[in-house]
Amino acid sequence: SDRWTAMASTRPTLAIRDERETVTVRVARGESDWKRVAHLRATCYYEERSKGRFTTSYKKMFEEQEQRRLETLHNEHKNDTATFLAHVESGEEVVGSVDVSKHEEGTNKELEAYVCNLCVSPLARRRGLGKKLMCTAALHAQDEWKVRSVRAHVDSDNAPARS
């Protein structure tokens, strides 16, 4: 059973509470948000990587590159993409993020959404936050872009994501 319960379902912000804390899911906007999302993604990406002597440098480079990617993406495609972040109300710490973008696919050029880059902080996992981020991204795509389908690629070894 899902331990997260919605406190308010008005978009673009969704507040979620479990027995420990309140987490808010909202659209990421601006340099401060891009930086915090990039930091979370670098942390998650390098979580299981070797602790070699250059890992810290690679993680920092990944974080800077991801921040630039987010800034460029949202400056050049602001009407075709959205990034959502989840943060803990008590301290603004970003504990989850996801990107969604719209695309025309197939010979009919049917509009669909593509969800990618979903990540949840190790400290916030196994509480349904990933599912809430996916649902928020899908609802945004349906409401804003009127898409009929939403796609995502999932690593076959990622059992929690496939459930």
Side-chain angles (χ1 to χ4, degrees), residues 69-81:
R69 187 192 72 78
L70 285 165
E71 289 171 356
T72 301
L73 178 69
H74 290 281
N75 286 333
E76 294 178 5
H77 304 283
K78 60 184 165 192
N79 295 325
D80 298 335
T81 191

Side-chain angles (χ1 to χ4, degrees), residues 6-15 24-27 84 136 139 143:
M7 292 172 47
S9 61
T10 57
R11 290 185 204 104
T13 301
L14 173 66
T24 299
V25 177
R26 66 172 176 80
V27 173
F84 290 89
T136 300
L139 287 172
D143 289 350

Side-chain angles (χ1 to χ4, degrees), residues 3-4 20 120 122 124-129 159-161 163:
R3 294 184 339 206
W4 295 90
R20 289 169 279 215
V120 175
R125 290 185 186 151
R126 307 305 305 155
R127 294 191 247 164
L129 183 55
S163 64

Side-chain angles (χ1 to χ4, degrees), residues 139-158:
L139 287 172
H140 174 83
Q142 291 170 341
D143 289 350
E144 294 295 316
W145 304 322
K146 309 301 183 223
V147 301
R148 298 180 80 192
S149 63
V150 178
R151 292 186 312 128
H153 288 102
V154 178
D155 186 350
S156 61
D157 295 335
N158 189 344

Side-chain angles (χ1 to χ4, degrees), residues 2 29 34 48 69-70 83 93 115 119 121 124 130 140 150 152:
D2 191 3
R29 291 189 176 94
W34 307 144
E48 295 184 18
R69 187 192 72 78
L70 285 165
T83 297
E93 176 189 1
V115 177
C119 65
S121 166
H140 174 83
V150 178

Side-chain angles (χ1 to χ4, degrees), residues 104-112:
E104 290 181 355
E105 290 295 324
T107 56
N108 298 352
K109 297 292 184 187
E110 185 173 322
L111 200 58
E112 69 176 21

Side-chain angles (χ1 to χ4, degrees), residues 37-131:
V37 168
H39 178 75
L40 171 68
R41 291 179 180 177
T43 299
C44 291
Y45 183 78
Y46 279 94
E47 176 182 13
E48 295 184 18
R49 303 286 191 270
S50 73
K51 301 293 181 196
R53 84 180 207 202
F54 299 113
T55 302
T56 302
S57 297
Y58 290 141
K59 181 178 171 185
K60 183 171 176 54
M61 287 185 339
F62 180 95
E63 183 175 332
E64 290 168 354
Q65 184 179 28
E66 182 63 9
Q67 182 178 350
R68 283 191 307 273
R69 187 192 72 78
L70 285 165
E71 289 171 356
T72 301
L73 178 69
H74 290 281
N75 286 333
E76 294 178 5
H77 304 283
K78 60 184 165 192
N79 295 325
D80 298 335
T81 191
T83 297
F84 290 89
L85 64 79
H87 69 87
V88 177
E89 292 260 330
S90 61
E92 291 292 311
E93 176 189 1
V94 173
V95 294
S97 70
V98 66
D99 295 334
V100 61
S101 57
K102 69 177 178 178
H103 299 277
E104 290 181 355
E105 290 295 324
T107 56
N108 298 352
K109 297 292 184 187
E110 185 173 322
L111 200 58
E112 69 176 21
Y114 180 69
V115 177
C116 61
N117 299 321
L118 173 69
C119 65
V120 175
S121 166
L123 301 174
R125 290 185 186 151
R126 307 305 305 155
R127 294 191 247 164
L129 183 55
K131 188 180 288 186

